[in-house]
Amino acid sequence: RAEGIGENLVPVDLPELSIVLVNPRVSVSTQEVYSALPQKDNPPLTPLPTDGSNSAWVSWLRDQRNDLQPPATSLAPEIATCLDALRDQGAQLIRMSGSGATCFGVFENEAQAKRAAANISATHPNWWVAPCSTVC
C-alpha cells in the first residue's frame, strides 16, 4: 500500500483477486496530474480490512478513493472510457491505478476476468489488456 504521496510502501496481505488491467495506450504525466489536483491534503484511507476474504477486500476497496482519478481523467478522457469498458463487462469494482492511465476491474473469478479481457480487447484492439490476479 502506497501512503503519503507514494513514498511510503507498506506490505499488504491480499487474497487472490481476479482482475483485468486496461491501458488505453495514452500517456499521462504524473506531474500534470498532481498539478491538476485541487486539494492535496485529503484524509487518509480507512484501515485495511482484517477479514482476509475476497468480499471483505472488494467491499473495503469500494469505500476507498483515488484522489488522482478526476484530474487524470480530465487530462486523458480515455481513462473514463476504460473504466466504462470494465464496468460494462461486469466488474465488481473499477478504479484507475495510481496516477493513470492504467485502470483495473475486479471480477468474481478467473473465467469472468478472462472473458472480460477478451471482450475488451476485441472492442478496443489498440488498448493493452491483461487478465491476471493479485499476487498471493
Side-chain angles (χ1 to χ4, degrees):
R1 176 177 176 173
E3 296 177 343
I5 58 170
E7 79 282 13
N8 298 323
L9 299 179
V10 179
V12 175
D13 188 23
L14 283 171
E16 187 170 353
L17 299 173
S18 296
I19 60 177
V20 175
L21 300 173
V22 178
N23 185 294
R25 295 191 192 269
V26 297
S27 178
V28 182
S29 163
T30 300
Q31 182 178 357
E32 288 180 23
V33 171
Y34 273 96
S35 293
L37 187 62
Q39 179 180 333
K40 295 178 177 65
D41 60 345
N42 297 303
L45 301 179
T46 60
L48 296 171
T50 55
D51 178 347
S53 70
N54 287 21
S55 61
W57 275 91
V58 169
S59 178
W60 179 81
L61 287 166
R62 193 174 285 120
D63 290 339
Q64 306 312 304
R65 65 191 192 284
N66 181 342
D67 296 321
L68 300 178
Q69 188 171 318
T73 302
S74 72
L75 294 167
E78 299 89 344
I79 292 170
T81 307
C82 285
L83 294 167
D84 289 342
L86 289 162
R87 180 183 301 112
D88 292 347
Q89 291 301 314
Q92 296 176 301
L93 169 81
I94 57 169
R95 289 285 186 279
M96 181 187 79
S97 178
S99 59
T102 300
C103 298
F104 68 93
V106 178
F107 289 83
E108 186 72 33
N109 56 52
E110 181 182 2
Q112 288 179 359
K114 286 182 176 180
R115 188 169 36 257
N119 290 340
I120 292 170
S121 291
T123 306
H124 302 279
N126 294 324
W127 288 3
W128 177 81
V129 180
C132 51
S133 65
T134 53
V135 176
C136 296

